[in-house]
Structure formats: C-alpha cells, structure tokens
Coordinates of all heavy atoms in Angstrom, one line a residue:
M195 N 0.8 -1.2 0.0 CA 0.0 0.0 0.0 C 0.8 1.2 -0.1 O 1.9 1.4 0.7 CB -0.9 0.0 1.2 CG -2.0 1.1 1.1 SD -2.9 1.3 2.7 CE -1.6 2.2 3.6
E196 N 0.6 2.2 -0.8 CA 1.3 3.4 -0.9 C 0.4 4.6 -0.6 O -0.7 4.7 -1.1 CB 2.0 3.5 -2.3 CG 2.8 4.9 -2.4 CD 3.5 4.9 -3.8 OE1 4.0 3.9 -4.2 OE2 3.4 6.0 -4.3
R197 N 0.9 5.6 0.1 CA 0.2 6.8 0.4 C 1.1 7.9 0.3 O 2.3 7.8 0.4 CB -0.5 6.8 1.8 CG -1.9 6.3 1.9 CD -2.5 6.5 3.2 NE -1.7 5.8 4.3 CZ -1.9 6.0 5.5 NH1 -2.7 6.8 6.0 NH2 -1.2 5.2 6.4
N198 N 0.5 9.0 0.0 CA 1.5 10.3 -0.1 C 1.2 11.1 1.2 O 0.3 11.3 1.7 CB 1.1 11.1 -1.3 CG 1.4 10.5 -2.6 OD1 2.3 9.7 -2.7 ND2 0.6 10.8 -3.7
C199 N 2.5 11.6 1.6 CA 2.5 12.4 2.8 C 1.6 13.7 2.5 O 1.7 14.4 1.6 CB 3.8 12.8 3.1 SG 4.2 14.1 4.5
V200 N 0.7 13.9 3.5 CA -0.2 15.1 3.4 C 0.7 16.4 3.4 O 0.0 17.4 3.1 CB -1.3 15.0 4.5 CG1 -2.3 13.9 4.2 CG2 -0.9 15.2 5.8
A201 N 1.7 16.4 4.0 CA 2.5 17.7 4.3 C 3.5 17.9 3.3 O 3.9 19.1 3.1 CB 3.1 17.7 5.7
C202 N 4.0 16.9 2.6 CA 5.1 17.3 1.5 C 4.9 16.4 0.2 O 5.5 16.8 -0.9 CB 6.5 17.0 2.0 SG 6.8 15.2 2.2
G203 N 3.9 15.5 0.2 CA 3.6 14.8 -1.1 C 4.5 13.6 -1.4 O 4.2 12.9 -2.3
M204 N 5.5 13.3 -0.5 CA 6.3 12.2 -0.7 C 5.6 10.9 -0.6 O 4.8 10.7 0.2 CB 7.4 12.2 0.3 CG 8.6 11.2 0.1 SD 9.7 11.0 1.5 CE 8.9 9.8 2.5
P205 N 5.8 10.1 -1.6 CA 5.2 8.7 -1.4 C 5.8 7.9 -0.3 O 6.9 7.9 -0.1 CB 5.5 8.0 -2.7 CG 6.3 8.9 -3.6 CD 6.7 10.1 -2.8
M206 N 4.9 7.3 0.5 CA 5.4 6.6 1.6 C 5.0 5.1 1.4 O 3.9 4.7 1.2 CB 4.7 7.0 2.9 CG 4.8 8.6 3.2 SD 4.2 9.1 4.7 CE 2.4 9.0 4.5
R207 N 6.1 4.3 1.2 CA 5.9 2.8 0.9 C 6.4 1.9 2.0 O 5.7 1.0 2.2 CB 6.8 2.6 -0.3 CG 6.4 3.3 -1.6 CD 7.2 3.0 -2.8 NE 6.9 3.6 -4.0 CZ 7.6 4.8 -4.3 NH1 8.7 5.1 -3.6 NH2 7.3 5.4 -5.3
E208 N 7.3 2.2 2.7 CA 7.8 1.4 3.8 C 7.4 2.0 5.2 O 7.4 3.3 5.3 CB 9.4 1.3 3.7 CG 9.9 0.9 2.3 CD 9.4 -0.5 1.9 OE1 9.2 -1.3 2.8 OE2 9.3 -0.8 0.7
P209 N 7.3 1.1 6.1 CA 7.1 1.7 7.5 C 8.0 2.8 7.9 O 7.6 3.8 8.5 CB 7.2 0.5 8.4 CG 6.8 -0.7 7.5 CD 7.4 -0.4 6.1
E210 N 9.3 2.7 7.5 CA 10.2 3.7 7.9 C 10.0 5.1 7.2 O 10.6 6.1 7.5 CB 11.7 3.2 7.8 CG 12.1 2.6 6.4 CD 11.9 1.1 6.4 OE1 11.0 0.6 7.0 OE2 12.8 0.5 5.7
D211 N 9.2 5.1 6.2 CA 8.9 6.4 5.5 C 7.9 7.2 6.4 O 7.8 8.3 6.2 CB 8.3 6.1 4.1 CG 9.3 5.5 3.1 OD1 10.5 5.7 3.4 OD2 8.8 4.8 2.2
F212 N 7.1 6.5 7.2 CA 6.1 7.1 7.9 C 6.7 7.7 9.2 O 7.7 7.2 9.7 CB 5.0 6.1 8.4 CG 4.2 5.6 7.2 CD1 4.7 4.7 6.3 CD2 2.9 6.1 7.0 CE1 3.9 4.2 5.3 CE2 2.1 5.7 5.9 CZ 2.6 4.8 5.1
A213 N 6.0 8.8 9.8 CA 6.5 9.3 11.1 C 6.5 8.3 12.1 O 5.5 7.6 12.2 CB 5.6 10.5 11.5
L214 N 7.6 8.1 12.9 CA 7.7 7.2 13.9 C 7.6 5.7 13.5 O 7.4 4.9 14.2 CB 6.7 7.5 15.1 CG 7.0 8.8 15.7 CD1 5.9 8.9 16.8 CD2 8.3 9.0 16.4
G215 N 7.6 5.5 12.2 CA 7.5 4.2 11.6 C 6.0 3.7 11.8 O 5.8 2.4 11.7
D216 N 5.1 4.5 12.0 CA 3.7 4.2 12.2 C 2.8 4.5 11.0 O 2.6 5.6 10.6 CB 3.2 5.2 13.5 CG 1.7 4.9 13.7 OD1 1.1 4.2 13.1 OD2 1.3 5.6 14.7
T217 N 2.5 3.3 10.4 CA 1.8 3.4 9.1 C 0.4 3.9 9.2 O -0.2 4.2 8.2 CB 1.8 2.1 8.3 OG1 1.1 1.1 9.2 CG2 3.1 1.5 8.0
S218 N -0.1 4.2 10.3 CA -1.4 4.9 10.4 C -1.4 6.4 10.4 O -2.3 7.0 10.3 CB -2.1 4.5 11.8 OG -1.5 5.0 12.9
R219 N 0.0 6.9 10.4 CA 0.0 8.4 10.3 C 0.0 8.7 8.8 O 0.4 7.9 8.0 CB 1.5 8.7 10.9 CG 1.6 8.3 12.3 CD 2.2 9.3 13.2 NE 2.2 8.7 14.6 CZ 2.2 9.5 15.7 NH1 2.2 10.7 15.5 NH2 2.2 8.9 16.9
D220 N -0.5 10.0 8.6 CA -0.6 10.4 7.2 C 0.5 11.4 6.8 O 0.4 12.1 5.8 CB -2.0 11.0 7.0 CG -2.4 12.1 7.9 OD1 -1.5 12.5 8.7 OD2 -3.5 12.5 7.8
Y221 N 1.6 11.5 7.6 CA 2.7 12.3 7.3 C 4.0 11.5 7.5 O 4.1 10.6 8.1 CB 2.7 13.7 8.0 CG 2.6 13.5 9.5 CD1 3.8 13.5 10.3 CD2 1.6 13.4 10.2 CE1 3.8 13.4 11.7 CE2 1.4 13.2 11.6 CZ 2.6 13.2 12.3 OH 2.6 13.1 13.7
C222 N 5.0 12.0 6.8 CA 6.2 11.2 6.7 C 7.2 11.6 7.7 O 7.1 12.5 8.4 CB 6.9 11.3 5.3 SG 7.7 12.9 4.9
V223 N 8.4 10.8 7.8 CA 9.4 11.0 8.6 C 10.1 12.4 8.5 O 10.6 12.9 9.4 CB 10.4 9.8 8.5 CG1 11.1 9.8 7.2 CG2 11.4 9.8 9.7
H224 N 10.0 13.0 7.3 CA 10.6 14.3 7.0 C 9.8 15.4 7.5 O 10.3 16.6 7.5 CB 10.9 14.4 5.5 CG 11.8 13.4 5.0 ND1 13.1 13.1 5.3 CD2 11.4 12.3 4.1 CE1 13.5 12.1 4.7 NE2 12.5 11.5 4.0
C225 N 8.6 15.1 7.8 CA 7.6 16.1 8.2 C 7.3 16.2 9.7 O 6.4 16.8 10.1 CB 6.3 16.0 7.3 SG 6.6 16.4 5.6
M226 N 8.0 15.3 10.4 CA 7.7 15.2 11.8 C 8.8 15.9 12.6 O 10.0 16.1 12.2 CB 7.7 13.7 12.3 CG 9.0 13.0 12.4 SD 8.8 11.3 13.1 CE 10.5 11.1 13.8
R227 N 8.4 16.4 13.8 CA 9.4 16.9 14.7 C 10.0 15.8 15.5 O 9.6 14.7 15.4 CB 8.6 17.8 15.8 CG 7.9 19.0 15.1 CD 7.5 19.8 16.3 NE 6.7 21.1 15.8 CZ 5.4 21.3 16.0 NH1 4.8 20.5 16.9 NH2 4.8 22.4 15.5
E228 N 11.0 16.2 16.3 CA 11.7 15.1 17.1 C 10.8 14.3 17.9 O 11.0 13.2 18.2 CB 12.9 15.8 17.9 CG 14.1 15.9 17.0 CD 15.3 16.4 17.9 OE1 15.4 16.1 19.1 OE2 16.1 17.3 17.3
D229 N 9.6 14.9 18.4 CA 8.8 14.2 19.3 C 7.7 13.4 18.5 O 6.9 12.8 19.1 CB 8.1 15.2 20.3 CG 7.2 16.2 19.5 OD1 7.0 16.1 18.3 OD2 6.5 17.0 20.2
G230 N 7.8 13.5 17.2 CA 6.9 12.7 16.4 C 5.6 13.4 15.9 O 4.9 12.9 15.1
S231 N 5.4 14.6 16.4 CA 4.2 15.5 15.9 C 4.5 16.0 14.5 O 5.7 16.1 14.2 CB 3.8 16.5 17.0 OG 4.9 17.4 17.0
M232 N 3.6 16.5 13.8 CA 3.8 17.0 12.5 C 4.3 18.5 12.6 O 3.9 19.2 13.5 CB 2.5 17.0 11.7 CG 2.8 17.2 10.2 SD 1.3 17.1 9.2 CE 0.6 18.7 9.3
Q233 N 5.3 18.8 11.8 CA 5.7 20.2 11.8 C 4.6 21.2 11.5 O 3.6 20.9 10.8 CB 6.8 20.4 10.7 CG 8.1 19.6 11.0 CD 9.1 19.6 9.9 OE1 8.9 20.1 8.8 NE2 10.3 19.2 10.2
S234 N 4.8 22.4 11.9 CA 3.9 23.5 11.6 C 4.0 23.9 10.3 O 5.0 23.7 9.6 CB 4.0 24.6 12.7 OG 5.3 25.3 12.3
F235 N 3.1 24.8 9.8 CA 3.2 25.4 8.5 C 4.4 26.1 8.3 O 5.2 25.9 7.3 CB 2.0 26.4 8.3 CG 2.0 27.1 6.9 CD1 1.4 26.5 5.8 CD2 2.5 28.3 6.9 CE1 1.4 27.1 4.7 CE2 2.5 29.0 5.7 CZ 1.9 28.4 4.6
D236 N 4.8 26.9 9.2 CA 6.0 27.7 9.1 C 7.4 26.8 9.2 O 8.3 27.2 8.4 CB 6.2 28.8 10.2 CG 5.2 30.0 9.9 OD1 5.0 30.3 8.7 OD2 4.7 30.5 10.8
E237 N 7.3 25.9 10.0 CA 8.5 24.9 10.1 C 8.8 24.2 8.7 O 9.8 24.0 8.2 CB 8.3 23.9 11.2 CG 8.5 24.4 12.6 CD 8.1 23.5 13.6 OE1 7.2 22.6 13.4 OE2 8.5 23.6 14.8
K238 N 7.6 23.8 8.2 CA 7.6 23.1 6.9 C 8.0 24.0 5.8 O 8.8 23.7 4.9 CB 6.3 22.4 6.6 CG 6.4 21.4 5.5 CD 7.2 20.2 5.9 CE 8.0 19.7 4.8 NZ 9.0 18.6 5.1
R239 N 7.6 25.3 5.8 CA 7.8 26.2 4.8 C 9.3 26.5 4.7 O 10.0 26.5 3.7 CB 7.0 27.4 5.1 CG 7.1 28.5 3.9 CD 6.0 29.6 4.2 NE 6.5 30.4 5.3 CZ 6.9 31.6 5.2 NH1 6.8 32.3 4.0 NH2 7.3 32.3 6.3
V240 N 9.9 26.7 5.9 CA 11.3 27.0 6.1 C 12.1 25.9 5.6 O 13.2 25.9 4.9 CB 11.7 27.5 7.4 CG1 13.2 27.6 7.7 CG2 11.0 28.9 7.7
G241 N 11.7 24.6 6.0 CA 12.4 23.5 5.8 C 12.3 23.1 4.2 O 13.4 22.8 3.6
L242 N 11.2 23.4 3.7 CA 11.1 23.1 2.2 C 11.9 24.1 1.4 O 12.6 23.9 0.4 CB 9.7 23.3 1.8 CG 8.8 22.1 1.5 CD1 7.4 22.5 1.0 CD2 9.5 21.0 0.5
A243 N 11.9 25.4 1.8 CA 12.8 26.5 1.2 C 14.3 26.0 1.3 O 14.9 26.2 0.3 CB 12.4 27.8 1.8
A244 N 14.7 25.6 2.4 CA 16.1 25.3 2.6 C 16.4 24.0 1.6 O 17.4 24.0 1.0 CB 16.4 24.8 4.0
F245 N 15.4 23.0 1.4 CA 15.7 22.0 0.5 C 15.7 22.5 -0.9 O 16.5 22.0 -1.7 CB 14.4 21.0 0.8 CG 14.6 19.9 -0.3 CD1 15.3 18.8 0.1 CD2 13.7 19.8 -1.3 CE1 15.3 17.7 -0.8 CE2 13.8 18.7 -2.1 CZ 14.6 17.6 -1.8
I246 N 14.9 23.4 -1.3 CA 14.9 24.1 -2.6 C 16.2 24.7 -2.8 O 16.9 24.6 -3.9 CB 13.7 24.9 -2.8 CG1 12.4 24.1 -2.9 CG2 13.8 25.7 -4.2 CD1 11.2 24.9 -2.8
V247 N 16.7 25.5 -1.9 CA 17.9 26.2 -2.0 C 19.2 25.1 -2.3 O 19.9 25.3 -3.1 CB 18.4 27.0 -0.8 CG1 19.8 27.4 -0.7 CG2 17.3 28.1 -0.6
K248 N 19.1 24.0 -1.5 CA 20.1 23.0 -1.6 C 20.1 22.3 -2.8 O 21.1 22.0 -3.5 CB 20.0 22.1 -0.4 CG 21.3 21.4 0.0 CD 21.2 20.7 1.3 CE 20.5 19.4 1.1 NZ 20.3 18.6 2.4
T249 N 18.9 21.9 -3.3 CA 18.8 21.0 -4.4 C 18.8 21.8 -5.8 O 19.0 21.2 -6.8 CB 17.6 20.2 -4.3 OG1 16.4 20.8 -4.2 CG2 17.7 19.2 -3.2
Q250 N 18.2 23.0 -5.8 CA 18.0 23.6 -7.0 C 18.7 24.9 -7.2 O 18.7 25.7 -8.2 CB 16.4 24.0 -7.2 CG 15.7 22.6 -7.2 CD 14.1 22.8 -7.3 OE1 13.7 23.7 -8.2 NE2 13.4 22.1 -6.6
G251 N 19.5 25.3 -6.2 CA 20.4 26.5 -6.3 C 19.7 27.8 -6.4 O 20.3 28.8 -6.7
F252 N 18.4 27.9 -5.9 CA 17.8 29.2 -5.7 C 18.3 29.8 -4.4 O 18.7 29.1 -3.6 CB 16.2 29.1 -5.6 CG 15.6 28.7 -6.9 CD1 15.3 27.4 -7.2 CD2 15.2 29.6 -7.9 CE1 14.6 27.0 -8.3 CE2 14.6 29.2 -9.0 CZ 14.4 28.0 -9.2
D253 N 18.2 31.2 -4.4 CA 18.5 31.8 -3.1 C 17.3 31.8 -2.2 O 16.2 31.5 -2.7 CB 19.1 33.2 -3.2 CG 18.1 34.2 -3.8 OD1 16.8 34.1 -3.6 OD2 18.6 35.2 -4.5
E254 N 17.4 32.1 -1.0 CA 16.2 31.9 0.0 C 15.1 32.8 -0.3 O 14.0 32.3 -0.2 CB 16.8 32.2 1.4 CG 16.3 31.3 2.5 CD 17.2 31.4 3.8 OE1 18.3 31.1 3.6 OE2 16.5 31.7 4.8
I255 N 15.4 33.9 -0.8 CA 14.2 34.8 -1.1 C 13.3 34.2 -2.3 O 12.2 34.3 -2.2 CB 14.8 36.2 -1.7 CG1 15.8 36.8 -0.6 CG2 13.6 37.2 -1.9 CD1 15.1 37.3 0.6
A256 N 14.0 33.5 -3.2 CA 13.3 33.0 -4.3 C 12.6 31.7 -4.0 O 11.6 31.3 -4.4 CB 14.2 32.8 -5.5
A257 N 13.3 31.0 -2.9 CA 12.8 29.6 -2.5 C 11.6 29.7 -1.8 O 10.7 28.8 -1.8 CB 14.0 28.9 -1.8
L258 N 11.4 30.7 -0.9 CA 10.2 30.7 0.0 C 8.9 30.7 -0.8 O 8.0 29.9 -0.5 CB 10.2 31.9 0.8 CG 11.0 31.7 2.2 CD1 11.0 32.9 3.0 CD2 10.4 30.6 3.0
P259 N 8.7 31.5 -1.8 CA 7.4 31.5 -2.6 C 7.2 30.1 -3.3 O 6.2 29.6 -3.5 CB 7.5 32.6 -3.6 CG 8.8 33.4 -3.3 CD 9.5 32.7 -2.2
L260 N 8.4 29.6 -3.7 CA 8.3 28.2 -4.4 C 7.9 27.2 -3.4 O 7.1 26.3 -3.8 CB 9.8 27.9 -4.9 CG 10.2 28.6 -6.1 CD1 11.6 28.4 -6.5 CD2 9.3 28.4 -7.4
A261 N 8.3 27.3 -2.2 CA 8.0 26.4 -1.2 C 6.4 26.5 -0.9 O 5.8 25.5 -0.8 CB 8.8 26.6 0.2
E262 N 6.0 27.8 -0.8 CA 4.6 28.0 -0.6 C 3.8 27.5 -1.8 O 2.7 26.9 -1.5 CB 4.3 29.4 -0.5 CG 4.7 29.9 0.9 CD 4.4 31.5 1.1 OE1 3.5 32.0 0.5 OE2 5.1 32.0 2.0
A263 N 4.2 27.6 -2.9 CA 3.5 27.1 -4.1 C 3.3 25.5 -4.1 O 2.3 24.9 -4.4 CB 4.2 27.5 -5.4
M264 N 4.4 24.8 -3.6 CA 4.3 23.4 -3.4 C 3.3 23.1 -2.3 O 2.5 22.1 -2.5 CB 5.7 22.8 -3.0 CG 6.7 22.8 -4.2 SD 8.4 22.5 -3.5 CE 8.3 20.7 -3.1
M265 N 3.4 23.7 -1.3 CA 2.5 23.5 -0.1 C 1.0 23.8 -0.3 O 0.1 23.1 0.2 CB 2.9 24.3 1.1 CG 4.3 23.9 1.6 SD 5.0 25.0 2.9 CE 4.0 24.4 4.3
R266 N 0.8 24.7 -1.3 CA -0.6 25.0 -1.8 C -1.3 23.7 -2.2 O -2.5 23.7 -2.2 CB -0.5 26.1 -2.8 CG -1.7 26.9 -3.1 CD -1.5 27.9 -4.1 NE -1.0 29.1 -3.4 CZ -1.7 30.1 -3.0 NH1 -3.1 30.0 -3.0 NH2 -1.2 31.2 -2.5
K267 N -0.6 22.8 -2.8 CA -1.2 21.6 -3.4 C -1.4 20.4 -2.4 O -2.0 19.4 -2.8 CB -0.4 21.1 -4.7 CG -0.2 22.1 -5.7 CD 0.7 21.6 -6.7 CE 1.1 22.7 -7.8 NZ 2.5 22.8 -8.1
L268 N -0.9 20.6 -1.2 CA -1.0 19.6 -0.2 C -2.1 19.6 0.8 O -2.3 20.7 1.3 CB 0.4 19.4 0.4 CG 1.5 19.2 -0.6 CD1 2.8 19.5 0.0 CD2 1.5 17.7 -0.9
P269 N -2.7 18.6 1.1 CA -3.9 18.6 1.9 C -3.6 19.2 3.4 O -4.6 19.9 3.9 CB -4.4 17.3 2.0 CG -3.4 16.4 1.3 CD -2.5 17.3 0.4
A270 N -2.5 19.0 3.9 CA -2.1 19.4 5.3 C -2.2 20.9 5.4 O -2.6 21.4 6.5 CB -0.8 18.9 5.7
W271 N -2.1 21.7 4.3 CA -1.9 23.0 4.5 C -3.1 24.0 3.8 O -3.1 25.0 3.8 CB -0.6 23.5 3.9 CG 0.6 22.7 4.2 CD1 1.3 21.9 3.4 CD2 1.0 22.5 5.6 NE1 2.3 21.2 4.1 CE2 2.1 21.6 5.4 CE3 0.7 22.9 6.9 CZ2 2.8 21.0 6.5 CZ3 1.5 22.4 7.9 CH2 2.5 21.6 7.7
A272 N -4.2 23.1 3.4 CA -5.2 23.7 2.6 C -5.7 25.0 3.5 O -6.1 26.0 2.8 CB -6.3 22.7 2.3
G273 N -6.0 24.8 4.8 CA -6.5 25.8 5.5 C -5.7 27.2 5.5 O -6.3 28.1 5.8
H274 N -4.4 27.1 5.3 CA -3.6 28.3 5.3 C -3.7 29.1 4.1 O -3.2 30.3 4.1 CB -2.1 27.9 5.4 CG -1.6 27.3 6.7 ND1 -1.3 28.1 7.7 CD2 -1.8 26.1 7.3 CE1 -1.0 27.3 8.8 NE2 -1.4 26.1 8.6
F275 N -4.3 28.5 3.0 CA -4.4 29.3 1.7 C -5.8 29.7 1.5 O -6.0 30.3 0.4 CB -3.9 28.5 0.7 CG -2.4 28.2 0.8 CD1 -1.9 27.0 1.1 CD2 -1.4 29.2 0.4 CE1 -0.6 26.7 1.2 CE2 -0.1 29.0 0.6 CZ 0.4 27.7 1.1
K276 N -6.7 29.7 2.4 CA -8.1 30.2 2.2 C -7.9 31.7 2.2 O -7.3 32.2 3.0 CB -9.0 29.7 3.3 CG -9.3 28.2 3.2 CD -10.6 27.7 3.9 CE -10.9 26.3 3.7 NZ -10.6 25.6 5.1
A277 N -8.8 32.3 1.4 CA -8.7 33.7 1.3 C -9.3 34.4 2.6 O -10.1 33.8 3.3 CB -9.6 34.1 0.1
Ligands
ZN1099 ZN1 6.3 14.7 4.3

C-alpha cells in the first residue's frame, strides 16, 4: 500500500517512511518533529525552502514562494491558503 504524505507529497511505501514508523500516520518522517508530531506550516515552509536552496540552487528569497506554491497543493496546508 502506498500513500502520499499530506504535508510534503512524498510517497510513503515502507514503514520507515512514515512518522515514527507508524503506518497509521498520514505524514512522513521528514515532516515530523523530534517528538513525532507534525511540523507546523512555518516549520515546513522554512524546511522546504532550505531543501529548494540546496537542491535547485535558488537563493532563500526566491525559494520561499516556491515552497509555498508546493504546499498549496498539499492537503495538510489547505487551511492556510483560504482567502
Ligand atoms: Zn512529508
């Protein structure tokens, strides 16, 4: 069974892809805090932007709106984009 993380869209296939290895969770190991809870909108936004800077060579100013554009498509953050 494969599910996509609600917070970043990553496909989760193995138990270790899920937060705390718990396949009943709907977010992945990259979207959890050290205590196993899901990261906040701002934590994920900053984390995603840093990932974009690292992997795509954008500067941070350019990466933040790109991170937001990615998050806009993900169910975990839908409430943050309501008008
Ligand atoms: Zn995730």
Side-chain angles (χ1 to χ4, degrees):
M195 193 191 80
E196 178 178 320
R197 268 189 296 165
N198 291 331
C199 170
V200 294
C202 76
M204 184 186 95
M206 302 187 290
R207 297 187 183 93
E208 307 296 333
E210 53 264 38
D211 294 333
F212 291 78
L214 300 177
D216 176 355
T217 56
S218 71
R219 307 223 175 208
D220 53 8
Y221 55 96
C222 77
V223 67
H224 305 293
C225 295
M226 76 172 201
R227 300 188 180 121
E228 277 182 33
D229 69 358
S231 60
M232 196 176 85
Q233 292 178 349
S234 71
F235 179 83
D236 283 326
E237 286 168 339
K238 194 65 217 171
R239 189 171 69 113
V240 169
L242 260 182
F245 179 76
I246 292 168
V247 167
K248 205 168 79 180
T249 57
Q250 299 179 43
F252 289 99
D253 64 32
E254 220 163 296
I255 306 293
L258 273 175
L260 291 171
E262 282 180 26
M264 286 169 70
M265 292 171 81
R266 197 175 273 273
K267 299 177 185 131
L268 295 161
W271 317 116
H274 289 270
F275 294 105
K276 287 200 185 109

